[in-house]
Amino acid sequence: MTTDLFARFPQARASREEMAEGAVLLRGFARDFETELIAALRTVVAQAPFRRMFTPGGHQMSVAMTNCGSSGWVTDRTGYRYASADPETGKPWPAMPPVLCEVAVRAADRAGFPGFAPDVCLINRYVPGAKMSLHQDKDELDFGAPIVSVSLGLSAIFMFGGLKRSDKPRRFRLEHGDVAVWGGPSRLFFHGVAPLAEGDHPVMGPQRLNLTFRKIG
Ligand code: MD3
Ligand code: FE
């Protein structure tokens, strides 16, 4: 499995764009795996359906989420955390399908972070109008590891700020198959997603999925 997948990556052709120190955008990196990725996601979502969680402030998020891996990111009135069981079912999160892990590990390697070993994949689903406000990802213990993100479906405007909430965000369009790696100094930068525009993607329909691979331990 591993050798087959690796053999199909056209590494030399993948574009590599530096958004900030340690933040690398690999446009179209996941395109060759679209079919396998989508099939794997279907099996995850069948076991752990998307749900719109509540923030500690009591607001329901517009983005629907689920997870796979040994742990999953959750939020409710008591706070944000990683939990080994899905609070909806009480069962462990579905295992991370090998193809998801392979794409993330390979992208991290290409971006300059060899040996990435993600234990969590948070899966975000945006429908038109859904957004994610400016925030930092700091619920993980290991800030030395990067976060790898894979975008599928409708394109979104990603807002990328700095270490301070007041740093003016720059905008990047993330499209179907784009993979971004956020490590080094950019790991704790504020970021968010502008409200998703209406649309209908030929493969994914009227939605955007974003996968973020994390090492929490
Ligand atoms: C930059 N998700 O799940 S992915 C998130 O498109 C999240 O769903 C967005 O922010 C989405 O927390 C953006 C890109 C991303 C993820 C983590 C980062 C960018 C990052 C951590 C640090 C800096
Ligand atoms: Fe984030």
Side-chain angles (χ1 to χ4, degrees), residues 124 126 135 137 158 182 186-187 191 193 208 210 214:
N124 295 333
Y126 297 74
H135 67 279
D137 288 21
F158 174 71
W182 324 84
S186 74
R187 175 63 183 75
H191 58 278
V193 178
R208 166 178 190 258
N210 181 267
R214 299 144 188 269

Side-chain angles (χ1 to χ4, degrees), residues 5-217:
L5 285 171
F6 281 16
R8 289 173 49 201
F9 275 98
Q11 294 296 302
R13 282 188 286 121
S15 77
R16 193 178 183 288
E17 189 179 321
E18 195 117 354
M19 296 182 285
E21 199 186 333
V24 177
L25 178 54
L26 305 168
R27 292 199 192 271
F29 192 89
R31 288 291 289 266
D32 287 350
F33 294 91
E34 138 184 325
T35 309
E36 289 96 328
L37 285 174
I38 293 166
L41 288 167
R42 257 191 245 290
T43 69
V44 169
V45 171
Q47 300 164 74
F50 284 110
R51 79 293 305 267
R52 288 174 55 209
M53 296 189 267
F54 287 85
T55 67
H59 297 286
Q60 190 171 21
M61 298 183 77
S62 57
V63 177
M65 298 176 165
T66 187
N67 293 274
C68 60
S70 55
S71 197
W73 187 85
V74 296
T75 174
D76 60 20
R77 285 309 297 253
T78 69
Y80 309 124
R81 65 193 172 277
Y82 284 94
S84 55
D86 177 349
E88 291 290 314
T89 61
K91 293 187 298 189
W93 294 102
M96 194 185 299
V99 63
L100 265 65
C101 193
E102 293 284 359
V103 172
V105 169
R106 197 68 188 168
D109 187 78
R110 175 98 172 93
F113 299 93
F116 181 49
D119 38 31
V120 173
C121 175
L122 169 65
I123 306 166
N124 295 333
R125 182 174 69 185
Y126 297 74
V127 294
K131 64 175 170 55
M132 194 174 284
S133 309
L134 220 55
H135 67 279
Q136 289 173 298
D137 288 21
K138 50 181 187 186
D139 300 327
E140 303 75 21
L141 296 171
D142 183 358
F143 296 134
I147 289 182
V148 174
S149 107
V150 176
S151 292
L152 295 171
L154 293 177
S155 64
I157 303 295
F158 174 71
M159 297 180 304
F160 195 29
L163 272 180
K164 293 182 305 223
R165 184 178 287 280
S166 57
D167 290 336
K168 186 179 159 63
R170 293 150 64 212
R171 288 167 154 70
F172 294 87
R173 177 178 294 275
L174 293 182
E175 294 180 344
H176 182 74
D178 288 352
V179 179
V181 180
W182 324 84
S186 74
R187 175 63 183 75
L188 288 170
F189 281 12
F190 278 89
H191 58 278
V193 178
L196 195 74
E198 296 286 341
D200 194 12
H201 188 271
V203 177
M204 299 295 294
Q207 62 174 342
R208 166 178 190 258
L209 297 190
N210 181 267
L211 323 180
T212 48
F213 296 86
R214 299 144 188 269
K215 178 158 176 55
I216 64 166

